[in-house]
């Protein structure tokens, strides 16, 4: 009965949560059915009371709840109950209990002595579990109680805050209702006060302007022009401050006042300044008048004139702010995309006025000097004016600017003003000659020469407006590209049709003619260099990239032309013209590779990278190569040229090799088996059948050495040496058997005659004939060494067949290396040894 009740209680307990039962309890369940002592029964009863019955109640309640809710956990519990395995012979003891007993006790009755220890262990586990249950049961209610207390306190605090909020809300509403009439009254008063303040501020500005105007009038009445100019500058600053105001009448009043006094002061100072300039004989329009007062002796009052000039110059500088407010500088159309630049300073404008009149007089209208075909006239005139006035600007104007604290370079300011005249002239003339190729090309050439001198001689900055901005305008630029392409193609036609196209200009000068460059190739690269110089100062990177594409197109076109001429010469690949074409291809590829490292083209590469990244024109690999500088802007062209060069060299090598093979026909038939040994000859001499072979090689090498540049010839003879090496090795050595005399003769022909042919081109020519050299070593070994080597190689072969390669192969390789054989494989050496006929008669 007790056992059944115990099993029922355990069943219900394990059914509720078999996975969460501690391992100690499971052990107890397995042992309890075996215990029959009173202590065991007491333990069972306590366990039933504390665990089984309580678990049964809790499980039943939980099961009812799960069933009512239709929870799938209940089905899982039932399924786990059903899956508990039972002993097939008896259903009273669970199967895992039988396993436990079998494991702990077994069939040995002496093992029953372990029961006491198991009971003690289970008792300890039970005590620990009871202690844990008591601890948890005592702590949980306290925590719950504390949490409930905290919730109650929070609820009370929240209620108190809500009450305070309600009281405060009512109080604020009452206050707002009470103060609403006051706020309306105060709003009216505040708006009135603000209106009065605006009127007061308006009157203050008017009063300030009238005060400044009165001061200027008083200064002028007392002839105190410097103070009047300073006061006008202050008034101009007031005008600038009021720009954002909506008081249109006030703005109009200030502007009209500034304009009134500015005109008076400017007229007065300008007239005095022009009079002073006349005393200085300004402007210096010719070389004989490049100094103040011309070539005449400076007058006695020269210092007074200079002092008066500097004073008036500084006073005019004070009118700069008001002049910028009132005068809008003339602007070219936006299509020219000129960089922003400040207006020319006022005193410089006055100084430039006579030069501007001269320029417009001579180079506009129907004057004979205004000719579209002669742009160099006005460009040269401007450069002369800049040069004539440079010293005066640096010695007199620049100190005055520095003293006034104006950060302006006098010479650059003067040049910029004259360049603006050029830009206006170009903008007017270019549409008239845009479709006349000769006139347009001449204009571009002259403008580029002007720009070069302006920047290199007079230090003009790239950041300032220049003629290149006019040439960069879309219509003009596209026309420039078209004309550039047209004339470049015409130049290419003429250079290739010239009688001296394939002759080097420096053929008689050895030191200069290392590349043996034909005239057409050098002229073509000069053409590309000139094009680079023409467009390198364009302000926009996009325009430069368009010119770069034009250059690449021209290179590709020239390559195609060279290929066409080369195909006509294919029948005679050693002829002079064929070699000249090869030299041209090599020269162009070399120069382009050098240009790829030039700073200018590296900058273009970066610009191209940015353009490609924006347009997604290249894949990530190509973008990465451009960004890491692994490739260059000329890589495509260089690769095509290198491929053409390799094809042409290969054709030459094949041609020479065919002649070599033809010349070696008799040498291949040499009777190597029956030649006398070295001891039978007084002196070794070259085989008679080898003479045609060696003479052919010598003649072809000498011819190509004279016609090809050094780098090309080096590639040629190395390719030829490789082919000759393999030919002699495969077609002569491996195709014959050698007695002692034949091997010695072969070695003499090769080492004393063939190799020295190439000693003019390298220090150790035998390194380029490794097959021949090592074959001669094997064939000329003395008999003992040859037998020993043969045994070593034979042993290595047998060991390799027995899969012991790692231990045997180094021995064979060491033996070969010791003899100086590195190129030939072990099997090749074995074949060569078998070609020897001078083996001793072993009776086998």
């Amino acid at each position: 009965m007790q056992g059944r009740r115990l099993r029922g209680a355990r069943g219900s307990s394990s059914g509720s949560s078999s996975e969460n039962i501690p391992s100690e309890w499971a052990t107890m369940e397995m042992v309890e059915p075996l215990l029959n002592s009173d202590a065991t029964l007491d333990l069972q009863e306590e366990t039933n009371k504390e665990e089984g019955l309580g678990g049964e109640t809790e499980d039943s309640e939980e099961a009812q709840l799960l069933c009512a809710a239709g929870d799938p956990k209940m089905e899982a519990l039932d399924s786990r109950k059903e899956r508990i395995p039972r002993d097939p012979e008896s259903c009273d003891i669970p199967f895992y209990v039988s396993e436990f007993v079998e494991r702990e006790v077994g069939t040995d009755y002496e093992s029953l002595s372990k029961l006491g220890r198991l009971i003690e262990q289970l008792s300890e586990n039970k005590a620990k579990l009871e202690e844990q249950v008591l601890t948890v049961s005592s702590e949980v209610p306290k925590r719950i109680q504390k949490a409930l207390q905290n919730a109650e306190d929070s609820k009370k605090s929240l209620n108190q805050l809500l009450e305070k909020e309600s009281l405060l809300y009512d109080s604020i509403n009452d206050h707002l209702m009470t103060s609403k009439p006051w706020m309306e009254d105060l709003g009216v008063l505040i708006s009135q006060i603000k209106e009065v303040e605006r009127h007061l501020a308006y009157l203050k500005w008017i009063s300030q302007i009238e005060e400044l105007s009165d001061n200027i009038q008083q200064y002028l009445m007392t002839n105190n022009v410097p103070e009047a100019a300073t006061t006008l500058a202050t008034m101009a600053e007031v005008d600038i401050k009021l720009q954002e105001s909506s008081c249109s009448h006030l703005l109009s009043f200030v502007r009209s006042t500034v304009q009134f006094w500015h005109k008076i002061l400017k007229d007065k100072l300008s007239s005095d300044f022009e009079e002073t300039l006349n005393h200085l004989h300004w402007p210096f329009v010719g070389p004989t008048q490049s100094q103040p007062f011309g070539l005449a002796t400076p007058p006695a009052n020269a210092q007074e004139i200079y002092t008066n000039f500097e004073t008036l110059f500084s006073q005019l500088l004070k009118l700069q702010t008001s002049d910028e407010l009132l005068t809008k500088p003339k602007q070219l159309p936006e299509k020219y995309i000129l960089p922003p630049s400040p207006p020319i300073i006022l005193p410089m404008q006055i100084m430039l006025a006579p030069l501007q009149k001269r320029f417009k007089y001579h180079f506009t209208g129907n004057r004979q000097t205004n000719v579209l075909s002669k742009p160099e006239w006005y460009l040269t005139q401007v450069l002369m004016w800049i040069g004539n006035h440079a010293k005066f600007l640096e010695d007199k104007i620049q100190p005055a600017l520095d003293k006034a604290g104006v950060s302006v370079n006098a010479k650059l300011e003067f040049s910029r003003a004259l360049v603006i005249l050029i830009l206006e002239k170009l903008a007017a003339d270019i549409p008239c000659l845009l479709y006349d190729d000769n006139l347009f090309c001449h204009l571009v050439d002259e403008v580029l020469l002007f720009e070069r001198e302006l920047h290199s001689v007079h230090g003009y900055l790239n950041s300032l407006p220049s003629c290149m901005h006019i040439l960069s305008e879309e219509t003009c630029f596209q026309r420039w590209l078209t004309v550039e392409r047209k004339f470049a193609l015409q130049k290419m036609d003429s250079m290739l049709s010239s009688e001296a196209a394939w002759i080097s200009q420096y053929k008689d000068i050895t030191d200069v003619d290392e590349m043996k460059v034909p005239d057409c190739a050098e002229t073509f690269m000069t053409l590309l260099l000139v094009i680079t110089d023409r467009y390198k100062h364009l302000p926009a990177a996009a325009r430069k990239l368009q010119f770069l594409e034009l250059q690449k197109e021209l290179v590709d076109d020239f390559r195609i032309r060279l290929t066409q001429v080369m195909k006509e010469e294919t029948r005679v690949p050693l002829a002079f013209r064929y070699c000249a074409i090869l030299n041209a291809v090599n020269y162009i590829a070399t120069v382009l590779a050098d240009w790829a490292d030039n700073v200018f083209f590296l900058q273009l590469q970066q610009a191209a990278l940015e353009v490609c990244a924006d347009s997604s024109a290249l894949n990530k690999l190509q973008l990465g190569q451009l960004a890491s500088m692994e490739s260059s802007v000329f890589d495509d062209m260089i690769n095509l040229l290198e491929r053409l060069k390799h094809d042409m060299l290969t054709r030459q090598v094949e041609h020479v090799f065919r002649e070599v093979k033809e010349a070696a026909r008799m040498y291949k038939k040499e009777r190597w088996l029956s030649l006398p040994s070295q001891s039978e000859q007084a002196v070794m001499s070259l085989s008679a059948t080898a003479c045609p072979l060696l003479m052919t090689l010598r003649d072809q090498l000498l011819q190509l050495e004279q016609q090809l540049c050094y780098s090309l010839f080096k590639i040629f003879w190395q390719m030829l040496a490789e082919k000759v090496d393999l030919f002699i090795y495969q077609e002569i050595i491996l195709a014959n058997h050698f007695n002692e005399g034949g091997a010695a003769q072969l070695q003499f022909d090769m080492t004393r005659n063939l190799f020295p042919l190439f000693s003019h081109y390298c220090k150790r020519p035998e390194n380029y004939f490794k097959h021949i050299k090592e074959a001669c070593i094997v064939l000329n070994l003395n008999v003992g060494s040859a037998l020993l080597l043969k045994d070593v190689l034979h042993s290595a072969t047998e060991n390799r067949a027995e899969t012991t390669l790692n231990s045997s192969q180094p021995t064979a390789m060491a033996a070969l290396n010791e003899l100086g054989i590195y190129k030939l494989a072990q099997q090749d050496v074995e074949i060569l040894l078998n070609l020897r006929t001078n083996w001793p008669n072993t009776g086998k």
Side-chain angles (χ1 to χ4, degrees):
M1 288 292 291
Q2 290 177 350
R4 292 191 185 92
R5 283 190 287 111
L6 180 60
R7 284 194 295 274
R10 293 298 180 204
S12 63
S13 175
S14 62
S16 62
S17 181
S18 62
E19 294 179 354
N20 296 328
I21 296 175
S23 60
E24 296 86 347
W25 292 14
T27 306
M28 290 171 62
E29 291 178 353
M30 290 186 287
V31 176
E32 282 173 358
L34 302 174
L35 303 180
N36 297 321
S37 65
D38 295 338
T40 304
L41 295 174
D42 294 340
L43 179 60
Q44 289 174 350
E45 290 176 357
E46 290 178 1
T47 306
N48 289 335
K49 291 176 182 179
E50 295 177 3
E51 298 180 359
L53 297 178
E56 185 174 359
T57 305
E58 293 172 359
D59 288 350
S60 61
E61 293 175 356
E62 182 182 359
Q64 291 173 4
L65 291 172
L66 293 173
C67 290
D71 197 311
K73 291 183 178 179
M74 192 60 192
E75 298 175 6
L77 291 171
D78 294 339
S79 63
R80 283 203 298 269
K81 285 183 180 181
E82 295 171 0
R83 286 198 304 268
I84 295 176
R86 297 291 183 176
D87 189 358
E89 298 179 358
S90 175
C91 295
D92 293 338
I93 301 176
F95 185 75
Y96 63 86
V97 175
S98 301
E99 284 185 344
F100 177 78
V101 172
E102 189 71 25
R103 184 174 64 254
E104 296 294 335
V105 179
T107 58
D108 188 3
Y109 292 102
E110 294 180 359
S111 299
L112 294 174
S113 59
K114 297 180 181 179
L115 293 176
R117 182 174 53 80
L118 289 175
I119 293 170
E120 291 177 1
Q121 183 179 354
L122 294 173
S123 300
E124 290 177 1
N125 292 339
K126 177 175 177 294
K128 290 179 182 178
L129 292 172
E130 288 176 348
E131 184 179 354
Q132 292 177 5
V133 170
L134 290 174
T135 302
V136 172
S137 63
S138 62
E139 289 181 354
V140 169
K142 291 180 181 179
R143 293 180 181 176
I144 294 174
Q145 188 66 28
K146 187 176 181 181
L148 291 173
Q149 185 63 39
N150 290 337
E152 289 293 336
D153 294 343
S154 299
K155 183 178 179 181
K156 290 179 181 179
S157 300
L158 180 59
N159 290 333
Q160 291 175 0
L161 289 174
L162 289 174
E163 292 176 0
K164 290 181 180 179
E165 187 267 342
S166 179
L167 293 174
L168 185 60
Y169 179 77
D170 295 339
S171 175
I172 290 173
N173 282 336
D174 294 341
H175 180 72
L176 290 176
M177 293 298 293
T178 305
S179 60
K180 186 175 182 181
W182 302 344
M183 291 298 294
E184 293 176 355
D185 296 339
L186 287 174
V188 174
L189 293 176
I190 290 172
S191 62
Q192 292 175 356
I193 291 172
K194 289 182 178 179
E195 184 70 20
V196 172
E197 288 178 347
R198 285 196 295 271
H199 292 168
L200 181 61
Y202 195 92
L203 293 173
K204 283 183 178 180
W205 283 115
I206 293 177
S207 175
Q208 184 179 358
I209 298 302
E210 288 180 344
E211 182 180 356
L212 292 172
S213 179
D214 292 341
N215 291 338
I216 293 173
Q217 184 176 5
Q218 291 176 4
Y219 289 139
L220 289 178
M221 290 175 65
T222 58
N223 203 25
N224 191 350
V225 179
E227 289 299 328
T230 304
T231 307
L232 179 60
T234 304
M235 188 183 295
E237 292 175 359
V238 172
D239 191 339
I240 295 173
K241 290 179 181 178
L242 292 174
Q243 289 299 312
E244 297 181 358
S245 174
S246 59
C247 301
S248 57
H249 296 291
L250 178 62
L251 292 175
S252 177
F253 171 70
V254 176
R255 181 61 57 86
S256 60
T257 306
V258 171
Q259 186 175 5
F260 174 78
W261 291 117
H262 175 80
K263 185 177 185 305
I264 293 175
L265 286 173
K266 182 179 179 181
D267 291 345
K268 178 174 177 56
L269 291 174
S270 296
S271 61
D272 295 344
F273 192 60
E274 289 171 356
E275 183 178 352
T276 304
L277 290 174
N278 290 332
H279 290 312
L280 294 172
H281 294 183
W282 181 273
F284 316 137
V285 293
T288 58
Q289 298 177 339
S290 59
Q291 296 296 327
F293 311 109
L295 294 178
T297 303
N301 63 342
Q303 187 60 39
E304 180 183 351
I305 294 174
Y306 281 132
T307 303
N308 189 29
F309 171 81
E310 292 177 3
T311 301
L312 292 171
F313 190 91
S314 62
Q315 292 174 3
L316 284 168
L317 281 176
K318 295 179 181 180
L319 303 183
Q320 183 66 29
T321 305
S322 57
D323 190 70
E324 292 178 6
L325 283 175
L326 301 172
T327 307
K328 290 185 178 181
K330 187 178 180 181
Q331 297 288 344
L332 288 171
E334 294 182 359
K335 64 179 181 179
Y336 295 111
I337 316 179
L338 297 178
S341 57
I344 304 298
I345 57 175
L346 182 58
M348 192 70 74
Q349 293 179 26
I350 299 171
M351 295 173 68
L352 285 162
L355 294 176
Q356 292 171 342
K357 289 180 181 179
R358 287 174 179 270
F359 187 90
K360 291 179 179 179
Y361 175 83
H362 289 291
F363 304 115
T364 58
N366 297 322
R367 301 292 175 185
Q368 294 182 350
T369 50
N370 182 29
V371 184
L372 288 176
S373 61
K374 298 293 182 181
E376 61 270 25
W377 287 353
Y378 59 83
L379 294 173
T380 304
Q381 183 64 72
V382 167
L383 290 174
M384 287 178 57
W385 286 344
I386 294 174
N388 293 342
H389 296 86
K391 182 173 177 56
F392 181 79
L393 292 168
E394 293 172 356
D395 295 345
K396 301 300 179 183
I397 306 299
Q398 191 61 51
L401 289 170
D402 296 339
K403 185 177 180 181
V406 180
S407 58
V408 172
N409 184 294
K411 186 177 178 181
L412 280 180
E413 192 77 355
F414 184 82
S415 302
R416 181 164 69 95
L418 293 178
V419 167
I420 291 175
L421 291 176
I422 299 289
L423 301 187
E424 293 173 352
K425 174 66 175 171
L426 288 175
D429 285 358
I430 285 178
C432 300
L433 47 81
L434 196 60
Y435 298 101
D436 188 320
D437 291 348
N438 293 323
L439 289 181
F440 182 77
C441 190
H442 178 64
L443 172 68
V444 172
D445 291 340
E446 293 298 331
V447 167
L448 293 175
L449 290 173
F450 169 79
E451 282 285 320
R452 183 179 303 171
E453 184 172 350
L454 184 65
H455 286 82
S456 61
V457 178
H458 301 294
Y460 198 73
L461 300 180
N462 292 327
S463 58
L464 298 175
S466 68
C467 300
M468 303 306 290
H469 291 92
I470 303 298
L471 296 181
S472 297
E473 189 269 328
E474 182 64 25
T475 305
C476 179
F477 182 78
Q478 293 302 327
R479 186 61 184 165
W480 183 13
L481 272 179
T482 303
V483 171
E484 204 76 46
R485 181 183 290 104
K486 174 185 174 181
F487 282 98
L489 292 175
Q490 290 178 357
K491 184 69 174 176
M492 288 164 59
D493 291 336
S494 63
M495 70 177 70
L496 287 173
S497 60
S498 170
E499 294 182 357
W502 307 108
I503 301 175
S504 173
Q505 297 178 1
Y506 315 103
K507 62 179 180 179
D508 298 327
I509 309 175
T510 307
D511 296 338
V512 179
D513 197 33
E514 290 183 357
M515 297 288 288
K516 294 182 170 59
V517 187
D519 183 66
C520 62
E522 188 165 2
T523 307
F524 175 71
M525 295 311 294
T526 304
L527 173 64
L528 291 184
L529 185 61
V530 169
I531 292 176
T532 302
D533 291 338
R534 289 160 72 86
Y535 78 82
K536 71 187 303 181
H537 294 295
L538 283 170
R543 300 300 192 198
K544 295 177 184 178
L545 289 175
Q546 288 179 272
F547 258 104
L548 177 63
E549 288 301 318
L550 170 62
Q551 287 180 302
K552 292 164 71 173
E553 290 176 13
L554 294 176
V555 171
D556 195 47
D557 187 271
F558 194 73
R559 178 189 63 83
I560 293 172
R561 292 170 185 244
L562 289 178
T563 304
Q564 292 171 346
V565 179
M566 179 269 294
K567 289 180 179 179
E568 298 175 359
E569 304 293 328
T570 304
R571 294 179 181 177
V572 191
L574 303 186
F576 172 76
R577 178 178 283 193
Y578 190 93
C579 294
I581 295 170
L582 184 53
N583 287 329
V585 172
N586 179 66
Y587 175 70
I588 295 171
T590 303
V591 174
L592 290 180
D594 292 340
W595 285 2
D597 297 328
N598 185 279
V599 175
F600 173 72
F601 289 107
L602 290 175
Q603 292 172 344
L604 283 188
Q605 180 174 343
Q606 181 62 30
L609 175 65
E610 295 173 359
V611 172
C612 293
D614 293 339
S615 61
S616 301
L618 298 178
N619 58 39
K620 292 183 179 179
L621 176 61
Q622 292 171 320
L623 286 175
Q625 290 175 343
L626 277 176
S628 61
M629 300 299 174
E630 293 180 5
S631 61
S632 70
V633 290
F634 295 111
D635 268 6
D636 295 339
M637 298 298 102
I638 294 174
N639 292 337
L640 291 172
L641 290 167
E642 289 291 338
R643 186 184 305 170
L644 177 59
K645 179 177 78 173
H646 181 266
D647 292 343
M648 294 181 70
L649 276 173
T650 303
R651 189 173 285 110
Q652 285 186 325
V653 171
E654 291 293 341
H655 179 82
V656 173
F657 184 61
R658 282 196 299 271
E659 293 188 0
V660 168
K661 287 198 298 183
E662 182 66 24
R665 281 191 305 170
M666 297 305 296
Y667 194 60
K668 289 171 62 177
K669 299 177 181 180
E670 186 70 54
R671 298 177 60 84
W672 304 102
L673 277 171
S674 58
L675 292 178
S677 64
Q678 188 173 357
S679 60
E680 297 176 0
Q681 302 182 51
V683 179
M684 291 285 292
S685 62
L686 175 67
S687 300
T689 54
C691 290
L693 165 66
L694 297 177
M695 290 180 65
T696 301
L697 272 175
R698 182 200 63 183
D699 295 343
Q700 302 294 8
L701 288 172
L702 288 175
Q703 178 183 352
L704 288 173
E705 184 181 15
Q706 294 173 357
Q707 293 181 352
L708 294 179
C709 70
Y710 173 77
S711 60
L712 287 176
F713 180 70
K714 182 178 179 181
I715 299 172
F716 168 81
W717 73 255
Q718 289 178 357
M719 293 172 64
L720 180 62
E722 181 182 359
K723 296 183 77 65
V724 171
D725 179 40
L726 285 174
F727 168 72
I728 294 178
Y729 174 71
Q730 294 174 352
E731 301 292 332
I732 297 178
I733 297 177
L734 294 182
N736 291 280
H737 287 76
F738 297 84
N739 64 357
E740 182 181 356
Q745 184 64 50
L746 176 69
Q747 186 173 30
F748 181 83
D749 292 344
M750 298 295 106
T751 58
R752 302 292 297 275
N753 294 278
L754 176 63
F755 296 172
L757 279 180
F758 293 85
S759 62
H760 300 288
Y761 318 124
C762 62
K763 293 181 179 180
R764 299 180 63 86
E766 63 273 12
N767 290 337
Y768 295 92
F769 297 91
K770 291 184 178 179
H771 289 90
I772 297 176
K773 182 184 75 172
E774 295 180 3
C776 289
I777 292 173
V778 175
L779 293 174
N780 286 276
L781 284 174
N782 58 53
V783 176
S785 299
L787 285 172
L788 181 59
L789 178 61
K790 194 171 186 180
D791 290 341
V792 171
L793 297 179
H794 182 67
S795 300
T797 303
E798 291 180 350
N799 290 335
R800 188 164 61 248
E802 297 173 1
T803 67
T804 58
L805 176 62
N806 292 335
S807 60
S808 64
Q809 187 69 5
T811 303
M813 294 304 299
L816 293 175
N817 294 343
E818 187 177 352
L819 294 173
I821 298 172
Y822 300 94
K823 180 73 172 178
L824 296 179
Q826 178 180 332
Q827 295 82 354
D828 297 331
V829 176
E830 291 176 350
I831 294 172
L832 290 171
L833 288 173
N834 291 329
L835 296 178
R836 294 170 56 114
T837 60
N838 56 330
W839 296 107
N841 187 5
T842 59
K844 294 182 181 179

